[in-house]
Amino acid sequence: MSSRNNLANFGSLKGKRVFVTGGGSGIGEAIVSAFAEQGAKVAFIDIAAAASLALCEKLKAEGHEPAVFRECDIRDIAALQDTMKMLAKEIGDFDVLVNNAANDQRHKLEDVTVEYWNDRIAINQRPMFFTCQAVADGMKNKGGGSIINIGSTSWHISGGGYPVYTTTKAAVSGLTRGLARDLGPYNIRVNTVTPGWVMTERQLQLWVDEKGEKLIDENQCLPGRVQPGHVARMVLFLAADDSAMCTAQEFIVDGGWV
């Protein structure tokens, strides 16, 4: 990826209030960092407290607007919405919501129990709706906003080995398009950013082996690897005024695989 000094600066993001789920590592960390570098005021949640606090310190040391972190398990909707309410009181109503948190744990069809199904839904699908619900009134009061839901190409490419995950990620598009219609009259835009196989630390440790590298080379149109920063740049565009007439859409960042 190009040096960030050569990348676009979105002036409309300066001073914006941004909320990100799962912002402590991987794609979420890149998103939080990218907004902070644009001069936005970022609040984020995660269950990985140590990594999240380290990110806050890193951004502060780099001279960016300090990020605000709260530890929160998104499976607890009451706690999630209460945390969002407290953060909005602290930094102001949110202009931007990024629903990033997810878990792509592998599983087999025959092993899925009702309890496992419900837990995966509680991580990968249910919180997206309730974060949108939580920010809607504040965005209406501000005269608009941008909601960005993070999807996955896993279901586009008929990816196997995690059927509950692909179910939840396919549902992201339905949530985005439905809410775009309902919230559009209030100048609230809702879009999906869909990453391909992103080279996060988790993916590199667990899944990107020699076979995986070969699969990427065979399927991507572009050489190289999709990095968290590539996804973050698309998120910035959709949060900024530059994308003022973009809503109800899916923007895929996968090197040309899908």
Side-chain angles (χ1 to χ4, degrees):
M1 187 172 178
S2 300
S3 166
R4 67 187 185 197
N5 293 328
N6 298 324
L7 298 175
N9 182 65
F10 297 98
S12 62
L13 292 179
K14 187 173 178 61
K16 288 292 179 71
R17 272 51 182 168
V18 181
F19 181 78
V20 182
T21 65
S25 64
I27 295 173
E29 178 183 0
I31 290 170
V32 169
S33 298
F35 276 112
E37 290 162 7
Q38 296 285 324
K41 183 69 176 180
V42 188
F44 70 100
I45 59 171
D46 207 304
I47 56 173
S52 298
L53 291 170
L55 174 59
C56 291
E57 288 300 316
K58 175 177 177 289
L59 293 173
K60 182 179 178 181
E62 291 175 350
H64 301 302
E65 182 75 28
V68 181
F69 164 69
R70 295 290 183 274
E71 186 174 357
C72 183
D73 187 335
I74 60 174
R75 290 174 293 188
D76 185 338
I77 298 300
L80 172 61
Q81 291 196 323
D82 284 347
T83 301
M84 294 178 71
K85 187 179 298 184
M86 288 186 290
L87 287 167
K89 284 182 179 178
E90 182 176 341
I91 71 170
D93 285 329
F94 299 111
D95 302 282
V96 180
L97 164 65
V98 184
N99 275 311
N100 167 72
N103 188 302
D104 64 347
Q105 184 182 68
R106 271 49 171 178
H107 52 271
K108 296 180 180 178
L109 170 65
E110 58 270 25
D111 294 335
V112 174
T113 62
V114 171
E115 291 75 21
Y116 184 83
W117 170 274
N118 288 340
D119 185 66
R120 295 299 98 179
I121 295 294
I123 294 171
N124 295 318
Q125 185 180 69
R126 190 173 68 188
M128 281 199 180
F129 176 87
F130 286 102
T131 54
C132 294
Q133 183 188 67
V135 301
D137 284 345
M139 288 185 175
K140 289 177 184 178
N141 292 337
K142 298 188 83 166
S146 178
I147 295 172
I148 300 153
N149 299 317
I150 303 299
S152 169
T153 57
S154 58
W155 66 275
H156 284 281
I157 62 174
S158 303
Y162 42 12
V164 187
Y165 179 75
T166 52
T167 299
T168 61
K169 284 303 184 179
V172 175
S173 293
L175 176 66
T176 288
R177 291 182 65 80
L179 287 182
R181 177 63 65 184
D182 291 338
L183 296 176
Y186 304 98
N187 201 34
I188 300 170
R189 299 180 293 110
V190 190
N191 290 287
T192 299
V193 170
T194 297
W197 200 348
V198 183
M199 300 297 101
T200 63
E201 184 178 345
R202 172 181 167 81
Q203 295 299 314
L204 291 169
Q205 288 181 349
L206 296 179
W207 313 117
V208 185
D209 53 13
E210 185 177 345
K211 181 179 178 182
E213 296 276 10
K214 187 172 184 291
L215 192 65
I216 294 169
D217 289 336
E218 289 174 348
N219 286 281
Q220 283 187 185
C221 294
L222 296 174
R225 297 293 180 261
V226 181
Q227 302 297 331
H230 295 127
V231 181
R233 296 305 300 186
M234 180 63 77
V235 171
L236 290 182
F237 169 72
L238 292 171
D241 292 350
D242 300 67
S243 58
M245 292 304 289
C246 297
T247 196
Q249 303 304 313
E250 180 180 22
F251 296 83
I252 298 175
V253 184
D254 73 340
W257 192 323
V258 170

